[in-house]
Amino acid sequence: MLGGITGGTLGVLDGLSGFFEPSLAPVMTSVITFSMLKGLPAGLAMGFFSQRVRSMPLGLFVGIVVAALLSLLVILRADMGLFWDIMLPGMLLGPIVGFATQKFGKRMAASASQ
């Protein structure tokens, strides 16, 4: 839950940073939407990972990798002239969500059958 909320929120903030690029003005709705759709699955994946593995270095690394792969999917759909404008903020989102899920995430209680 924490990963999804953090990833989605940071995704929206990432999309809103597009207001600083005047050429993106006509497509800001798409930029914000795809940034959120990039951050939400990254956050959910990091939340799932943090439930299984409690390691800050691994959490940060997996966060970078997951966010980079999702950013690459967005880049393949978007204009390649924006490669670094999409990739760098997306890769920054990964370790932030990885840190949050490793530091503040709580393990789910073991089920009664185990």
Side-chain angles (χ1 to χ4, degrees):
M1 192 67 140
L2 174 65
I5 292 169
T6 306
T9 302
L10 289 175
V12 169
L13 293 176
D14 174 25
L16 289 173
S17 70
F19 281 117
F20 297 112
E21 181 67 39
S23 65
L24 294 178
V27 292
M28 275 310 294
T29 303
S30 296
V31 169
I32 294 169
T33 301
F34 281 106
S35 293
M36 186 200 58
L37 290 176
K38 175 177 61 172
L40 189 61
L44 292 174
M46 289 309 306
F48 180 78
F49 180 79
S50 72
Q51 287 294 311
R52 306 303 182 268
V53 178
R54 298 301 289 182
S55 167
M56 186 64 74
L58 278 177
L60 297 175
F61 176 74
V62 170
I64 291 171
V65 170
V66 168
L69 291 174
L70 291 171
S71 295
L72 190 59
L73 290 176
V74 171
I75 289 169
L76 292 175
R77 185 195 179 286
D79 179 18
M80 288 303 286
L82 299 173
F83 182 83
W84 292 113
D85 294 332
I86 296 171
M87 186 61 90
L88 290 178
M91 286 179 63
L92 180 62
L93 179 138
I96 292 172
V97 175
F99 174 80
T101 57
Q102 289 293 329
K103 180 80 173 173
F104 303 110
K106 294 185 172 89
R107 285 196 178 266
M108 292 174 38
S111 65
S113 63
Q114 292 182 349

